[in-house]
Amino acid sequence: MLRILTAFATAGLGVAVFLWLSLPLPWLLGPIFFCLAAALIGLPLGSIGPLNEAMRTVLGVAVGATLTPAVLMSFPSMWPTLIFVPVMTAVIGLVGVPYFRRLWGYDFATAYYGSMPGGLQDMLVFGEEAGGNVRSLSLIHATRVLVIVVALPFILKSVWNADLTNPPGDPLTSLPWQELAIMVACAIVGWQGAKRIGMFGASILGPLIVTTVVTLAGGLHHRPPAEAIWAAQFFIGLTIGAKYAGITMAEVRRDLAAGVGFCGVLIVLTVIFAETIYQLGLAPGMETLLAFAPGGQAELTVLALIVGADMAFVVAHHVLRIFSVILGAPIAARVLRLGKR
């Protein structure tokens, strides 16, 4: 309980300081930075797993509520950029495995699953089954998400002058209670239903699917209130920062440094692919960067909501990336291992 209270107090202080200093994304970056700092100085931090997952359902509902018939009709037109997703994933693996093995001396399983830009939990499970170092994988992926999420707002602001102060939704008091009740039902039914069938990203994709069906049927006309999306940001930030709890100096020197260095590689690859797509005239620059940035699905969804990006475009590419990694990573790892024998 002390670990959880410390984490909440630290994250809350981060929000307050970011608001006071008028810094960007206070509900997301404030908890990330302050929980990270607290972890690095040895404060005990913890989080409530089910509550964190529950807050992620807000993002699924938010995306599903934007998928109107007109938006869904645009999906087939995305294929020219969607085909770049598995290509970029393969390139990341081809660069990442040698980077972690030769430069940092990790074993093959840790190097392979540490380089794959998939869901953190999925990569930890696959990596552990393959004999990788779970603690190293956790720190590498937490660092990937943290660096990408922290870097993107500044890139969006400097390149496209994106407004990061936009409220992500309407105030709670302005929404009809009937729609609020429908949103809660979509979140719970979608999350638990997706979890029961073992769907990856169940806390986001389940509510997204159910909410999309309800929206298409005319049952929803609004996104979740701003207060709910701010709360989701708070828990995402707290969770990212708290993952560093108990980190040692040896891990800082190796795992954290390796993760930061790999983030530099990922950012360069992302810019190359995004610039190529933009120059070919296949998609706008800002949406392309958000769609191809190898951060966490929840974190990128938050940023897309705030800057008013094309949600369908961004989410479709991230779902395909996660889907490609989860299905392809174990197969590719087995093929590569057999090829080395």
Side-chain angles (χ1 to χ4, degrees):
M1 180 59 72
L2 176 61
R3 295 167 63 89
I4 294 171
L5 292 176
T6 302
F8 272 72
T10 303
L13 179 61
V15 172
V17 171
F18 267 60
L19 286 171
W20 179 51
L21 297 176
S22 298
L23 294 173
L25 303 179
W27 291 93
L28 179 64
L29 298 186
I32 286 178
F33 276 110
F34 273 66
C35 286
L36 173 61
L40 291 176
I41 64 174
L43 288 182
L45 299 176
S47 59
I48 307 173
L51 183 56
N52 293 340
E53 274 199 278
M55 296 310 302
R56 291 163 73 94
T57 65
V58 174
L59 303 179
V61 173
V63 175
T66 67
L67 298 181
T68 61
V71 171
L72 289 183
M73 289 291 288
S74 69
F75 269 44
S77 65
M78 297 180 192
W79 72 264
T81 54
L82 287 171
I83 60 177
F84 280 90
V85 173
V87 175
M88 180 174 170
T89 301
V91 171
I92 288 173
L94 290 172
V95 174
V97 173
Y99 166 83
F100 283 115
R101 292 211 73 189
R102 297 175 186 172
L103 193 59
W104 293 96
Y106 288 100
D107 61 87
F108 177 80
T110 304
Y112 183 82
Y113 287 104
S115 64
M116 285 291 98
L120 185 144
Q121 297 302 326
D122 303 299
M123 295 304 98
L124 292 186
V125 171
F126 290 157
E128 184 175 23
E129 290 179 352
N133 186 319
V134 176
R135 176 67 176 177
S136 293
L137 286 171
S138 177
L139 292 172
I140 289 168
H141 281 293
T143 302
R144 168 176 62 86
V145 172
L146 183 144
V147 172
I148 298 296
V149 170
V150 170
L152 273 181
F154 296 98
I155 296 173
L156 295 172
K157 181 69 175 177
S158 60
V159 177
W160 291 282
N161 197 29
D163 188 356
L164 299 172
T165 62
N166 283 330
D170 296 323
L172 176 66
T173 54
S174 69
L175 300 182
W177 69 267
Q178 297 94 332
E179 290 212 9
L180 291 173
I182 292 173
M183 291 178 196
V184 172
C186 288
I188 295 173
V189 172
W191 173 27
Q192 294 304 315
K195 193 174 180 180
R196 183 168 298 234
I197 64 174
M199 178 184 291
F200 70 90
S203 58
I204 293 181
L205 294 184
L208 188 159
I209 293 169
V210 174
T211 305
T212 299
V213 172
V214 173
T215 301
L216 293 175
L220 279 177
H221 305 88
H222 300 86
R223 286 204 310 238
E227 292 87 346
I229 297 176
W230 284 329
Q233 292 180 56
F234 177 86
F235 280 92
I236 289 170
L238 184 156
T239 302
I240 293 174
K243 288 188 185 302
Y244 291 92
I247 190 171
T248 64
M249 285 309 299
E251 290 172 326
V252 169
R253 285 192 296 268
R254 190 188 190 200
D255 298 333
L256 189 58
V260 171
F262 188 54
C263 285
V265 174
L266 290 175
I267 289 172
V268 170
L269 290 175
T270 301
V271 170
I272 291 173
F273 273 83
E275 184 65 18
T276 300
I277 291 168
Y278 177 70
Q279 291 299 329
L280 291 173
L282 299 177
M286 185 171 72
E287 273 78 3
T288 302
L289 181 64
L290 286 167
F292 281 83
Q297 182 186 356
E299 294 78 22
L300 273 298
T301 299
V302 165
L303 287 177
L305 282 168
I306 291 172
V307 300
D310 183 338
M311 293 301 302
F313 183 84
V314 173
V315 171
H317 287 74
H318 281 289
V319 169
L320 179 58
R321 170 173 63 88
I322 302 298
F323 189 74
S324 300
V325 170
I326 290 175
L327 286 185
I331 298 172
R334 190 171 295 112
V335 170
L336 288 172
R337 271 200 177 282
L338 289 174
K340 290 177 180 293
R341 292 179 181 177

